[in-house]
């Protein structure tokens, strides 16, 4: 059942346990989502309640949703912790809880959702370290968005094991330490092409759209940096971007990061990075946007940047760069 993008309002009524898909997104529903606990032996594969005015907690009654593949509760006013019964969603491919008021540490039970392809928890109040088990268990991830939370600590090296990852956004947190040089192990950002996702028969649009055949992609991403929104549309493959901005990262920009030839957007702004811009950054010839502003970078602008003919947005402001500006930059 699809009632999305209307003006329906009021509490969400109980729904049939035999329903396979329920999309009530972009309406004016309010109240809690306790009706989910009334569903026993449910057959739901898709549940989208995003962009409403829902409140309360996600109750610990997800054991009845073993067939669920897509759960989108984004852009509401939900709060509390992710319940431990999330571990029952062994077929879950897409989990979107973005722009709510969820809090606490990510439950270790989430590591059982090993079928996850896309995880967007941005814009909440989650805290604690970025769990190492994300890299150790969620190996099918190609989208990981934890932006605008209260995560602290260092970037776990285990994230480098996510060789299918194509969108990584850890921006606007309290992370510190250096950028792992092993990010060059994210082979999907090195190799041309995209990860195919089978059996996901659902049109999904936030960072991307999944075609009904589960393979054809029409990507649409809005990258927001310092209030400036940059919109990218890329047909037939997933966008490949890294955003680590607005943290407390230190050290030098890893030399090996320039091996991520397929990345189109790289944002390292608003940290405490020092040293020179990697001399061979020009190898990232597909970059459309590069933001290294508000750091402590020194030296000159590498002449290799003249090879970046597709570059449309460049910001290296508020650093300690010197020497002449290359004529072709």
């Amino acid at each position: 059942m699809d009632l999305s993008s209307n003006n329906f309002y009021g509490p969400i009524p109980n729904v049939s346990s035999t329903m396979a898909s329920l999309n009530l997104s972009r309406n004016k529903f309010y109240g809690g989502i306790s009706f989910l606990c009334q569903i026993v032996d449910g057959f739901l594969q898709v549940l989208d309640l995003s962009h409403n005015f829902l409140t309360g907690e996600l109750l610990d009654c997800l054991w009845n949703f073993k067939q669920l593949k897509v759960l989108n509760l984004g852009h509401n006013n939900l709060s509390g912790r992710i319940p431990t019964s999330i571990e029952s969603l062994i077929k879950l491919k897409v989990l979107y809880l973005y722009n709510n008021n969820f809090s606490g540490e990510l439950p270790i039970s989430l590591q059982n959702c090993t079928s996850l392809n896309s995880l967007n928890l941005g814009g909440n109040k989650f805290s604690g370290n970025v769990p190492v088990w994300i890299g150790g268990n969620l190996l099918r991830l190609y989208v990981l968005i934890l932006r605008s939370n209260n995560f602290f600590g260092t970037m776990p090296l285990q994230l480098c094991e996510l060789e299918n990852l194509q969108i990584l956004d850890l921006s606007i947190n309290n992370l510190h330490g250096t950028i792992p040089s092993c990010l060059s192990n994210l082979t999907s950002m090195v190799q041309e092409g995209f990860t195919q996702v089978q059996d996901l028969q659902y049109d999904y649009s936030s960072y991307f759209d999944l075609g009904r055949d589960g393979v054809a992609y029409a990507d649409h991403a809005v990258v927001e940096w310092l209030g400036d929104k940059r919109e990218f549309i890329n047909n037939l493959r997933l966008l490949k971007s890294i955003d680590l901005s607005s943290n407390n990262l230190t050290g030098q920009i890893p030399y090996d990061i320039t091996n991520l030839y397929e990345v189109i957007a790289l944002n390292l702004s608003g940290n405490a990075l020092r040293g020179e811009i990697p001399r061979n950054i020009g190898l990232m010839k597909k970059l459309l946007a590069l933001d290294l502003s508000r750091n402590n970078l020194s030296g000159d602008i590498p002449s290799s940047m003249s090879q970046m003919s597709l570059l449309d947005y460049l910001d290296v402001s508020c650093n300690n760069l010197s020497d002449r500006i290359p004529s072709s930059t």
Side-chain angles (χ1 to χ4, degrees), residues 236-251:
L236 299 182
R237 66 181 181 189
L238 275 172
L239 292 162
K240 300 178 181 181
S241 64
I242 296 177
D243 191 344
L244 306 179
S245 64
S246 300
N247 280 286
N248 298 303
L249 299 173
T250 56

Side-chain angles (χ1 to χ4, degrees), residues 236-277:
L236 299 182
R237 66 181 181 189
L238 275 172
L239 292 162
K240 300 178 181 181
S241 64
I242 296 177
D243 191 344
L244 306 179
S245 64
S246 300
N247 280 286
N248 298 303
L249 299 173
T250 56
Q252 298 184 339
I253 299 175
Y255 180 88
D256 291 341
I257 203 171
T258 60
N259 292 331
L260 302 177
Y261 308 123
E262 292 292 311
V263 170
I264 71 161
L266 176 62
N267 188 358
L268 304 179
S269 66
N271 283 289
L273 300 172
R274 56 179 174 78
E276 296 185 337
I277 299 173

Side-chain angles (χ1 to χ4, degrees), residues 153-165:
T154 59
M155 288 180 58
L157 297 179
Q158 288 80 358
L159 292 183
C160 299
E161 299 176 21
L162 300 174
E163 60 181 23
N164 295 316
L165 200 63

Side-chain angles (χ1 to χ4, degrees), residues 253 258 275-283 290 292 297-308 311 314 316 321-329:
I253 299 175
T258 60
E276 296 185 337
I277 299 173
R279 310 309 298 172
N280 60 344
I281 196 169
L283 295 176
L290 174 63
L292 305 178
L297 300 173
S298 57
D300 59 0
I301 295 178
S303 59
S304 67
M305 291 185 68
S306 62
Q307 304 173 39
M308 303 165 71
L311 195 63
L314 172 64
V316 294
L321 300 172
S322 58
D323 212 334
R324 296 184 177 184
I325 300 175
S327 58
S328 55
T329 302

